């Protein structure tokens, strides 16, 4: 592709082929290296805990590369067959917590379901672990926000993190749920607490 500068002069040729590294195998044949593509809204929550939107086939190699052992899925819909096959092939456990994706003002986040999901997240035997819903915004944001409460984050930092992922779709009701969530039953949990929770 030819690129022109602001004066209309042609500067150079550019190859816009896909960004795939190529090497040669033992037999001298060129081979393509797999590109690792993280799922939408992917981020590390803490050591051994990640969050994202719904992973698709394009993300499977990436999830393998970080050694995911457990998936915490926060939607009521059945897990797709290609994803189930990927989990079985890689020995990944699936924990599904059916939380309906609701719009304000009719939002009903089941506190007991969040509590049960947190128990899975807090159990280091399940790490490395990926928490996800459809877009990695509201349901995932509520679960991570409640985890941050256990980690003794201040509310303003929790809400900043929630809003960073939810962006223009941030819900006051989600933030209210996080603020009012009762963490007392989890503070003295017999489960081994991971990362910064265990240092308190």
């Amino acid at each position: 592709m030819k690129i022109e500068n602001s004066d209309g002069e042609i500067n150079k040729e550019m190859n816009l082929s896909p960004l795939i590294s190529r090497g040669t195998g033992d037999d001298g044949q060129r081979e393509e290296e797999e590109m690792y593509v993280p799922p939408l809204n992917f981020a590390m929550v803490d050591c051994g805990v990640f969050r994202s939107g719904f992973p698709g086939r394009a993300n499977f190699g990436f999830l393998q590369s970080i050694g995911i052992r457990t998936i915490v899925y926060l939607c009521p819909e059945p897990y797709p067959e290609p994803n189930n096959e990927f989990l079985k092939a890689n020995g990944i456990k699936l924990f599904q917590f059916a939380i309906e994706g609701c719009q304000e003002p009719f939002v009903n986040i089941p506190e007991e379901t969040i509590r049960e999901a947190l128990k899975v997240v807090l159990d280091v035997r399940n790490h490395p672990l990926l928490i996800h819903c459809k877009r990695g915004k509201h349901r995932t944001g509520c679960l991570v926000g409640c985890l941050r409460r256990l980690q003794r984050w201040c509310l303003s930092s929790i809400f900043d993190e929630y809003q960073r992922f939810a962006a223009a779709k941030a819900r006051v009701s989600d933030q209210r749920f996080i603020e009012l969530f009762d963490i007392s039953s989890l503070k003295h949990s017999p489960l081994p607490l991971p990362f910064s929770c265990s240092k308190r």
Side-chain angles (χ1 to χ4, degrees):
M1 175 179 181
K2 294 179 180 179
I3 305 294
E4 294 184 5
N5 67 16
S6 58
D7 298 329
E9 297 173 9
I10 295 173
N11 281 346
K12 60 181 177 178
E13 297 268 334
M14 281 188 69
N15 180 5
L16 296 180
S17 59
L19 298 174
I20 298 176
S21 302
R22 301 185 193 285
T24 47
D26 294 336
D27 59 358
Q29 296 285 334
R30 292 182 73 106
E31 58 186 39
E32 295 182 1
E33 290 183 19
E34 183 178 2
M35 294 290 290
Y36 294 128
V37 180
L40 175 74
N41 264 337
F42 179 84
M44 180 181 231
V45 175
D46 213 318
C47 184
V49 178
F50 303 91
R51 64 178 291 166
S52 76
F54 209 105
R57 287 178 194 262
N59 311 126
F60 292 168
F62 176 80
L63 297 181
Q64 280 178 313
S65 75
I66 60 173
I68 290 297
R69 187 182 294 172
T70 306
I71 300 265
V72 173
Y73 174 48
L74 303 175
C75 300
E77 296 81 16
Y79 217 53
E81 195 52 41
N83 292 56
N84 271 323
E85 289 171 9
F86 169 74
L87 299 188
K88 286 177 191 164
N90 290 278
I92 299 171
K93 292 180 286 187
L94 174 67
F95 290 89
Q96 183 171 3
F97 299 94
I99 301 172
E100 293 290 336
C102 301
Q103 302 270 336
E104 284 187 305
F106 309 104
V107 178
N108 179 24
I109 303 163
E111 188 165 329
E112 189 53 38
T113 304
I114 292 289
R115 195 178 320 285
E116 291 305 309
L118 274 172
K119 289 177 184 176
V120 173
V121 173
L122 292 170
D123 190 341
V124 293
R125 294 170 295 186
N126 294 322
H127 296 182
L129 171 146
L130 175 69
I131 303 164
H132 81 81
C133 52
K134 284 243 178 17
R135 303 276 177 215
K137 295 180 179 183
H138 303 113
R139 290 168 276 199
T140 299
C142 285
L143 182 58
V144 171
C146 293
L147 174 65
R148 298 306 192 196
R149 292 271 320 281
L150 272 172
Q151 293 178 305
R152 299 184 183 180
W153 279 34
C154 68
L155 282 174
S156 63
S157 294
I158 294 171
F159 295 159
D160 283 348
E161 180 181 45
Y162 170 87
Q163 289 165 4
R164 192 165 53 250
F165 289 93
K169 299 203 172 193
R171 295 177 181 160
V172 172
S173 55
D174 287 349
Q175 293 170 81
R176 188 179 308 117
F177 174 83
I178 293 166
E179 181 178 3
L180 299 176
F181 183 76
D182 180 15
I183 61 171
S184 61
S185 65
L186 291 163
K187 278 185 174 176
H188 306 291
S189 171
L191 293 170
L193 295 178
F195 33 85
S196 55
C197 289
S198 61
K199 297 173 187 168
R200 305 273 179 209

